[in-house]
Amino acid sequence: MSVRGTDLRGAIAIVGAAESTDLGKIPDKSALELHVDAALNALADCGLAPADIDGVASAGELPNDIADYLGIVPEYLDGTNVGGSSYMLHVRHAMAAISAGLCETVLVTHGESGRSRIGMTPWAPAPQSFMAQLEIPHGPVGAPSLFPMGVRRYMAEYGMTREQLALVPVVQRQWAAMNPRAKLRDPITVEDVFASPVIADPVHLLHCCLVTDGGGALVLTSAERARSLDLPNPPVYVLGAGESSESSVVSGLESLTSSRAIRLGGERALAQSGVAHADVDHLMVYDAFAHVPIYGLEDLGFVGRGEAPAFIEDGHTAPGGSLPMNTNGGGLSYTHTGMYGMFAIQESVRQVRGTAPAQVDGVDISVCTGVGGMFMSSGTLVLGSAATL
Amino acid sequence: MKPVPLATPDTQEWLDRIDAGELTVPRCTACASSFLYPRSSCPRCGARSVELVPAAGTGVLLSFVVNHRAPAGFEAPYALGVVRLAEGPHLTGVVRTDRPDLLEVDAAVRVGFEERGERRVVCFDLEEAGR
Ligand SMILES: [Zn+2]
């Protein structure tokens, strides 16, 4: 693979980052208001006002509606919506747009009333979509049946045990226990996972993400402008970014034991950043279901094929481990509104800033991977402190 | 009621032939690659010439879940799997078995059809189970 975009390494920075004021059950805000609440928090986080923003990117709600609600007059709009990874793609696209001079300061917003469903269109696949034609007639119980479809094959090919799969939520709960904002904080055991209701065997309830309300937002600008601003928090630089996609139906995926989209997006992001795996201090991998971080560890190249279950079992991703992963508790324990990717980015930013509730010592480089649909899309960001420039 | 697919122009003939009890696999007449889902052009070479070739009706179960919760019309537990057809492309469907707990990946399966009113939906039966 040719290494493209290396001149954009560190070209833009995340100067503002914040989540909605509340997470969990928010019965008094619509999805659009959750975007706006997070946006205002992110602007306050960097000391900017809506008038300072000239570009808006969002998924779930349309960027023009976000702009209009906040009184922003945008010259750049990005409505990319490829599911939960969309926000990683927004950052990558903003990296190009800001660097090319198309705009100066981009606001990226997420908000979903996933639990309370206020101001949300009821979710259902379009009746003539590939999913509705190829999958729904066969009786999947939504994502819990379809997303983990490959887990049995992964177990057969690589010998992953049910205990190892259960360790993913167990370890992430260890992180959540240190995070007061996490929805689920009580420690759990492998036995607790097995005792939770079976949804789509081998998937139990505790292998599945939460369903919550919440939002998050980022303010991005050029590294040059970041240096000229009087910022309350240190900028977090985008060292690399990558994206890819494949089929939106699981029968159309190239492999059931690996995600091509994670692999290609991750390769691109790491190559652009020039960062070696060994230099990564912290990792976020979108965890809608317990197997996704396992696939992610392998598809991003942190471990070899089939090695992720033992890597997790050996404590490498747990508190005190060599590669702390999903340190907010993840979609499994922290929060999961529907398109979780924004929350993964927020935690990476906190870890690089040194302000995370479960802060890892000395995080200069964080890798953050989002997934959309059932592996239909992925985006990866490599984020770094000023020391990495 | 269990849902049935609502065709688009590019899937109409494929679904019509399933309703008639025949599974076909789309194949590009230019580069001979087979693919699913049905498309009006080839995802390998872009040619707009696609023919529907009758499938052998056999395949291998690549992976599956056993649903313990069920949408309206379905009765849990049942196995939902992805099968690699003999022609290569993959297809999702229910694996009809009384013992989904005994199912294993790589099981040989045969294409079957479940009648839903005027329509049919593809499903899979285990080869060893009495055929
Ligand atoms: Zn072709």
Side-chain angles (χ1 to χ4, degrees):
Chain A
M1 184 184 69
S2 65
V3 180
R4 288 188 207 146
T6 49
D7 53 327
L8 297 185
R9 181 192 194 275
I12 68 162
I14 298 171
V15 294
E19 296 175 357
S20 51
T21 309
D22 298 309
L23 289 178
K25 193 163 171 55
I26 311 171
D28 61 346
K29 280 194 174 65
S30 68
L32 180 58
E33 283 180 277
L34 291 168
H35 281 254
V36 169
D37 178 42
L40 292 172
N41 288 344
L43 286 165
D45 181 69
C46 59
L48 295 179
D52 297 316
I53 301 295
D54 62 358
V56 177
S58 67
E61 300 293 327
L62 293 168
N64 49 296
D65 285 333
I66 307 298
D68 190 58
Y69 200 114
L70 287 163
I72 293 167
V73 183
E75 295 177 39
Y76 168 87
L77 293 159
D78 181 2
T80 301
N81 188 344
V82 289
S85 66
S86 299
Y87 313 98
M88 284 74 176
L89 275 64
H90 293 154
V91 171
R92 186 171 193 247
H93 303 170
M95 175 194 246
I98 292 169
S99 301
L102 303 183
C103 55
E104 201 168 49
T105 308
V106 174
L107 172 70
V108 183
T109 67
H110 161 77
E112 257 175 303
S113 184
R115 184 179 179 87
S116 303
R117 311 298 300 179
I118 300 166
M120 297 273 291
T121 310
W123 189 86
Q128 291 178 308
S129 66
F130 299 130
M131 184 185 281
Q133 292 196 51
L134 276 288
E135 291 178 336
I136 301 299
H138 308 292
V141 191
S145 294
L146 294 169
F147 209 160
M149 181 60 79
V151 171
R152 295 258 187 176
R153 177 143 212 102
Y154 185 97
M155 293 169 83
E157 284 188 10
Y158 301 116
M160 177 174 71
T161 63
R162 284 174 178 260
E163 285 75 13
Q164 286 176 320
L165 182 64
L167 277 171
V168 175
V170 168
V171 168
Q172 289 193 196
R173 189 63 67 84
Q174 294 169 7
W175 287 110
M178 294 186 267
N179 187 349
R181 254 167 84 89
K183 169 94 174 162
L184 301 175
R185 293 188 299 274
D186 294 335
I188 53 169
T189 63
V190 166
E191 288 68 34
D192 290 331
V193 178
F194 292 160
S196 69
V198 184
I199 307 295
D201 194 358
V203 171
H204 290 248
L205 184 63
L206 286 176
H207 291 122
C208 305
C209 65
L210 296 159
V211 181
T212 61
D213 306 327
L218 303 166
V219 179
L220 312 170
T221 194
S222 66
E224 192 185 348
R225 178 152 191 256
R227 280 187 281 274
S228 74
L229 293 170
D230 184 22
L231 294 168
N233 293 295
V236 171
Y237 296 89
V238 181
L239 305 179
E243 65 191 87
S244 191
S245 71
E246 62 170 321
S247 186
S248 60
V249 288
V250 293
S251 58
L253 296 171
E254 197 173 86
S255 167
L256 291 176
T257 57
S258 163
S259 163
R260 187 185 78 189
I262 295 180
R263 210 165 62 238
L264 296 180
E267 271 177 23
R268 185 68 78 197
L270 283 162
Q272 185 181 24
S273 73
V275 166
H277 288 94
D279 297 330
V280 175
D281 303 309
H282 171 255
L283 176 64
M284 295 298 292
V285 180
Y286 195 115
D287 58 322
F289 292 93
H291 68 297
V292 184
I294 290 173
Y295 284 36
L297 280 165
E298 297 177 8
D299 289 325
L300 292 168
F302 286 99
V303 296
R305 197 55 67 196
E307 293 175 3
F311 188 77
I312 292 170
E313 188 174 18
D314 291 344
H316 289 288
T317 62
S322 61
L323 185 61
M325 179 176 74
N326 294 344
T327 50
N328 57 355
L332 297 176
S333 289
Y334 179 63
T335 204
H336 194 293
T337 51
M339 295 195 284
Y340 166 80
M342 172 59 81
F343 296 99
I345 303 175
Q346 295 288 335
E347 175 66 7
S348 282
V349 169
R350 286 190 293 263
Q351 288 287 349
V352 174
R353 284 178 171 182
T355 60
Q359 182 64 44
V360 174
D361 286 343
V363 175
D364 280 312
I365 296 175
S366 176
V367 169
C368 184
T369 293
V371 173
M374 328 292 169
F375 292 123
M376 78 173 180
S377 72
S378 182
T380 289
L381 303 177
V382 182
L383 303 179
S385 67
T388 63
L389 291 178
Chain B
M1 273 306 291
K2 290 180 175 181
V4 290
L6 188 56
T8 42
D10 49 356
T11 61
Q12 185 75 59
E13 187 188 346
W14 186 72
L15 289 170
D16 284 348
R17 287 172 75 167
I18 287 173
D19 288 344
E22 180 187 36
L23 178 65
T24 62
V25 176
R27 185 170 69 186
C28 174
T29 60
C31 76
S33 69
S34 296
F35 52 88
L36 276 170
Y37 48 89
R39 300 156 166 91
S40 55
S41 61
C42 170
R44 183 167 170 230
C45 75
R48 294 173 190 262
S49 51
V50 174
E51 59 181 351
L52 296 182
V53 180
T58 57
V60 170
L61 181 62
L62 287 180
S63 200
F64 63 98
V65 293
V66 179
N67 281 342
H68 283 246
R69 300 196 176 173
F74 290 82
E75 202 176 319
Y78 57 98
L80 178 68
V82 170
V83 165
R84 185 177 63 232
L85 299 173
E87 291 76 17
H90 303 173
L91 207 52
T92 297
V94 167
V95 183
R96 292 193 289 202
T97 168
D98 295 336
R99 295 296 304 272
D101 54 315
L102 298 182
L103 210 52
E104 289 184 18
V105 299
D106 288 332
V109 297
R110 177 166 290 279
V111 171
F113 299 92
E114 183 189 314
E115 299 200 7
R116 294 192 190 168
E118 305 284 289
R119 305 285 307 277
R120 282 192 174 94
V121 166
V122 170
C123 56
F124 301 99
D125 298 309
L126 293 171
E127 277 281 23
E128 60 199 38
R131 274 179 199 260

